[in-house]
Amino acid sequence: MAVLEQENGVAEECQSASRPHVQSADGILDCVGQTPLVRMRRYLEESSVELYAKLESANPGGSAKDRPATRMLHHAIRQGELAEGATVVESSSGNMGIGLAQACRFHGLRFMCVVDPHAQPQNVAIMRALGAEIVRVERQVDGSFLAARLQRVRELLEVTPNSYWPNQYANRQNPIAHLNGTIREIDRDTGGDIDYLFVATSSTGTAQGCRDYLRRHRRNTKVIAVDANGSVLFGGSPGERLIPGLGAGHEPALARDQTFDQIVRVSDIDCVVGCRRAAGREAMLVGGSAGGVLEVVRSMEANLRGKRCVAILHDSGTRYLDTVFNDDWLQSALGTNADEVEARIGSPALSSTEARSQ
């Protein structure tokens, strides 16, 4: 061992060579993935249904979007598409923006995120805390805030030197992140034995990646895609939606011609009911889209007896305290109140839902 210094004739020796190895992540992005799978025993009335939740809120940026955000940037860097000093520009309703803000700050890249009025204030604040520059669009284009955000992204790319657009809506690394991560972890933890997988859709990256993995490995799992009333995905009709991260007002390139075993649409109120039921019965604060996913499971529970189901819950309810869990917002935004929501929590699920199979 090396001698550090000599004092009063006594050598002080470095002990570092004999210290035990530290098991740790190599930076915050190394913590993306390996999220927990949690049994939900109280959410459903039918006890024979095995319901598990994949808690993507355990990612360091707080959502499932951490996976594609990290992968898209790493891939672009490896391919030479993203150089030092570049500016990343993306459109987001919140979670992808946070994932990219974190990844960009880690890699020392400038990040500009285009959001619309439906972006949760807390999500915007988190992006800013991670160094993102926020660009807000206030008016729809062709009846869609997503179309307006994408138009603004293209304008920023034209005037920003050395800029790069990951384009979560068309980038194949988006579903690949879930194919190699989310569903692989679920498959491992369940021994490949899942009857139903429930997943929210927006860019459709999560649902695609999971479906493709299951098909490649010849699993018999049925993939249930959860969409929003008012979403144009899967041939839907456009309408107002207030829960971010669920559905789309403009069909993304990734979503074209995509098919799943079944598509179920939920309303904003359905999502609120699911979030509050999960908090009351499971002591779990889940995000808006997750509430919708759980209500879809509940609406089908009579047909799920004896089945094993996994619901991917994209983010945490802590980001919806001013909306989904706020009684004043219920009244002003949705025209309902806490008593009506509580009554629906104990009533059959999805009274306002249309469902169809493909």
Side-chain angles (χ1 to χ4, degrees):
M1 287 183 272
V3 176
L4 292 180
E5 58 183 279
Q6 186 86 18
E7 183 176 355
N8 298 325
V10 178
E12 294 185 4
E13 297 182 328
C14 174
Q15 301 295 317
S16 60
S18 62
R19 301 183 75 177
H21 176 69
V22 176
Q23 295 286 346
S24 71
D26 189 15
I28 192 64
L29 299 186
D30 203 32
C31 297
V32 174
Q34 304 303 327
T35 55
L37 192 66
V38 178
R39 178 75 183 267
M40 299 182 73
R41 296 183 181 274
R42 303 174 182 87
Y43 190 86
L44 303 176
E45 301 295 339
E46 178 53 62
S47 60
S48 73
V49 180
E50 281 188 54
L51 175 58
Y52 298 89
K54 182 67 167 167
L55 297 186
E56 288 297 281
S57 59
N59 282 304
S63 84
K65 297 291 188 178
D66 285 8
R67 297 178 188 264
T70 301
R71 185 177 181 91
M72 288 189 299
L73 287 197
H74 284 174
H75 183 264
I77 291 169
R78 288 195 303 269
Q79 296 298 312
E81 300 172 357
L82 189 54
E84 184 178 353
T87 298
V88 175
V89 184
E90 183 59 283
S91 152
S92 174
S93 62
N95 284 330
M96 179 62 80
I98 292 172
L100 284 172
Q102 181 172 254
C104 285
R105 175 48 58 99
F106 185 84
H107 290 294
L109 300 165
R110 181 189 181 195
F111 177 50
M112 302 173 71
C113 189
V114 180
V115 304
D116 63 44
H118 291 161
Q120 301 283 337
Q122 185 173 355
N123 287 352
V124 173
I126 293 170
M127 284 187 267
R128 283 201 172 106
L130 287 166
E133 300 169 38
I134 304 300
V135 178
R136 192 182 299 271
V137 298
E138 300 292 346
R139 295 182 179 178
Q140 298 180 348
V141 170
D142 297 329
S144 166
F145 274 119
L146 176 55
R149 296 199 320 252
L150 295 178
Q151 177 177 290
R152 188 68 178 120
V153 165
R154 294 185 181 96
E155 293 170 353
L156 290 169
L157 292 170
E158 289 180 2
V159 299
T160 307
N162 194 19
S163 56
Y164 172 74
W165 182 21
N167 193 0
Q168 63 164 313
Y169 310 101
N171 194 326
R172 286 297 305 164
Q173 299 306 312
N174 182 345
I176 289 172
H178 297 289
L179 184 150
N180 288 341
T182 314
I183 189 61
R184 188 182 297 273
E185 295 166 18
I186 293 171
D187 193 64
R188 175 199 66 202
D189 293 343
T190 59
D193 183 10
I194 317 165
D195 296 303
Y196 287 84
L197 179 73
F198 295 82
V199 57
T201 56
S202 182
S203 70
T204 72
T206 310
Q208 277 188 55
C210 293
R211 177 206 60 201
D212 292 350
Y213 178 97
L214 292 166
R215 287 182 179 175
R216 289 182 189 180
H217 290 79
R218 294 183 172 85
R219 306 301 190 224
N220 293 320
T221 309
K222 292 186 182 299
V223 178
I224 311 301
V226 179
D227 192 19
N229 289 341
S231 166
V232 302
L233 297 176
F234 317 114
S237 301
E240 185 177 21
R241 297 170 295 108
L242 297 180
I243 300 295
L246 182 64
H250 176 82
E251 186 179 50
L254 276 177
R256 291 173 194 154
D257 302 319
Q258 293 300 316
T259 60
F260 300 93
D261 293 290
Q262 189 173 349
I263 295 164
V264 184
R265 301 186 192 279
V266 296
S267 70
D268 290 333
I269 295 177
D270 293 326
C271 295
V272 172
V273 170
C275 290
R276 294 195 174 199
R277 185 178 172 99
R281 294 204 168 203
E282 297 281 354
M284 292 170 59
L285 287 180
V286 304
S289 68
V293 168
L294 290 173
E295 281 298 274
V296 169
V297 179
R298 187 163 75 96
S299 74
M300 296 173 59
E301 67 178 308
N303 298 319
L304 298 176
R305 293 187 178 97
K307 303 297 184 182
R308 176 176 291 171
C309 306
V310 174
I312 298 176
L313 308 186
H314 275 71
D315 62 2
S316 168
T318 57
R319 292 181 177 170
Y320 299 80
L321 298 179
D322 293 332
T323 54
V324 167
F325 293 98
N326 185 300
D327 291 347
D328 292 336
W329 182 84
L330 287 184
Q331 187 66 58
S332 62
L334 300 183
T336 188
N337 57 56
D339 289 339
E340 292 175 355
V341 169
E342 190 64 30
R344 286 192 56 169
I345 287 174
S347 301
L350 303 196
S351 58
S352 62
T353 295
E354 58 175 289
R356 64 185 175 89
S357 298
Q358 288 187 334

